[in-house]
Amino acid sequence: MATELKNLSSYDPSKVADGSGRKVGIVYAEWNEEITYALRDGAVKTLIKNGVSQSDITLTSVPGSFELIFGASQMVKSGKYDAVIAIGCVIRGDTPHFDYICEGVTAGLSRLNVEYDTPVIFGLITTNNLQQAQERSGGRLGNKGDECAVTALQMIAQFKHI
Ligand code: RBF
């Protein structure tokens, strides 16, 4: 897995855009909540650390990762946010649902990025087992929520003027 090579929480603070005045929506799935709550909390902490006000962060939950598409879509269409972060965790089981959900969410969020002017950040962890998800939500490999927050701030800053 590519993230074996990278700690998801490590970034150069001097290169992260200041988040002051930025408004960020976070939509997160309740499915696998042990993981998604840790990702959500990581994203919030990193946004605040980089200047975003707590009051400028809006959290909305959806039942499962598949619903992230609708949740992110509603946030984007509201026009209230400079970026939207979608957070979920899909763990491969013995069912084809893993592939359907991963492909569906990826396609849905990709489409939002093409059709609307608000960046949607892909915070979906897709792993073979729970341990790999734990490693990426505050464990050995850092927290993908941190990475999503940094990515959101970079995307806002880089495309604000276009
Ligand atoms: N949602 C997740 O966020 N992560 C999962 O690992 C996950 N696994 C699922 C496995 C099965 C067999 C089913 C039926 C649903 C699963 N879901 C999962 C829920 C899915 O994202 C969605 O909420 C439901 O399918 C209702 O649209």
Side-chain angles (χ1 to χ4, degrees), residues 20-120:
S20 305
R22 304 306 198 196
K23 296 192 185 334
V24 180
I26 299 178
V27 56
Y28 62 97
E30 296 283 351
W31 196 286
N32 292 321
E33 65 176 34
E34 173 201 338
I35 305 298
T36 60
Y37 289 11
L39 297 172
R40 174 202 64 192
D41 294 346
V44 169
K45 194 187 75 197
T46 300
L47 288 171
I48 291 172
K49 203 165 155 185
N50 288 284
V52 181
S53 299
Q54 177 111 47
S55 58
D56 284 336
I57 302 172
T58 301
L59 304 176
T60 308
S61 68
V62 291
S65 290
F66 193 74
E67 287 72 44
L68 289 173
I69 306 164
F70 183 83
S73 172
Q74 292 298 297
M75 284 189 140
V76 165
K77 289 174 189 169
S78 76
K80 291 181 185 166
Y81 308 103
D82 296 307
V84 171
I85 299 173
I87 287 173
C89 170
V90 192
I91 298 175
R92 188 184 285 281
D94 287 334
T95 105
H97 265 79
F98 177 89
D99 296 315
Y100 297 146
I101 295 170
C102 293
E103 285 167 19
V105 176
T106 304
L109 298 183
S110 301
R111 195 172 148 191
L112 291 177
N113 272 310
V114 174
E115 292 186 0
Y116 296 90
D117 293 332
T118 304
V120 176

